[in-house]
Amino acid sequence: MTVVETPPVEARRDKAQYGVCGFLAVVGGLVIVDALRIQHIANSNDPIGPKPVPIVLGVLLLVIAVVYGVDVARGGSGEAESGEDVDPTSAVDWKTVLLLIAAFVVNLVLIEPAGWVISGAVLFWGSAYALGSRHHLRNLLIAVALSLATFYLFAIGLGVNLPAGVLQGIL
């Protein structure tokens, strides 16, 4: 009896991944070009100015694009996600999606006249409601705490003033 060996089947390469590599390279190049157009503004608190961070990020994007391209060329491919319990055949829960969109739109409309603290609280509370939480009072307290915390973290920590709206002078 003669055994016939069949050649190993070569794994099919996913050439679409080269598109991802190209996209990363283009974004990295655009970030670098845009960063080079930033005027050098230095002061005693920041002697190097705002240029280096986006340049470093652009270079890192280019490096990732090249490393990923080499990996794809060598036949590397990502593994299928197995850690989540997701049924890809299940229908989209449009009610949840529409409620989340509504929460973001209400935030967008309220942020200038009402201020971040109020619009952020509505956003956080609305998102919790849309995602199924029915502890309304607890969610409201957490939403107000989160919006106040982010308001002060942006103002004090980053020096970015979010709109105070009707609470101007109180906050």
Side-chain angles (χ1 to χ4, degrees):
M1 181 179 203
T2 307
V3 176
V4 178
E5 290 186 27
T6 58
V9 177
E10 184 177 315
R12 209 174 124 196
R13 292 191 181 172
D14 186 7
K15 294 186 181 181
Q17 297 306 311
Y18 289 116
V20 175
C21 299
F23 176 75
L24 288 172
V26 167
V27 170
L30 287 173
V31 168
I32 292 171
V33 167
D34 201 33
L36 292 175
R37 295 173 31 192
I38 297 175
Q39 293 180 355
H40 181 71
I41 303 169
N43 58 34
S44 61
N45 293 335
D46 185 14
I48 60 172
K51 248 184 193 181
V53 172
I55 290 174
V56 168
L57 289 175
V59 169
L60 287 174
L61 280 168
L62 290 174
V63 168
I64 289 171
V66 169
V67 169
Y68 188 38
V70 169
D71 181 54
V72 171
R74 290 182 176 175
S77 63
E79 294 181 20
E81 181 65 40
S82 62
E84 294 186 34
D85 185 21
V86 177
D87 181 12
T89 62
S90 66
V92 175
D93 183 6
W94 286 108
K95 179 184 174 189
T96 301
V97 172
L98 292 174
L99 284 171
L100 283 171
I101 291 171
F104 278 95
V105 169
V106 169
N107 179 331
L108 181 69
V109 170
L110 286 181
I111 195 161
E112 279 299 323
W116 166 253
V117 174
I118 294 171
S119 71
V122 170
L123 172 68
F124 295 140
W125 181 87
S127 298
Y129 179 82
L131 295 172
S133 178
R134 296 299 180 254
H135 301 279
H136 304 303
L137 182 60
R138 182 186 68 189
N139 292 344
L140 182 62
L141 293 174
I142 292 171
V144 170
L146 281 172
S147 62
L148 277 170
T150 55
F151 181 83
Y152 284 116
L153 283 172
F154 270 79
I156 296 169
L158 299 174
V160 176
N161 292 323
L162 296 174
V166 296
L167 299 177
Q168 185 76 34
I170 298 172
L171 298 174

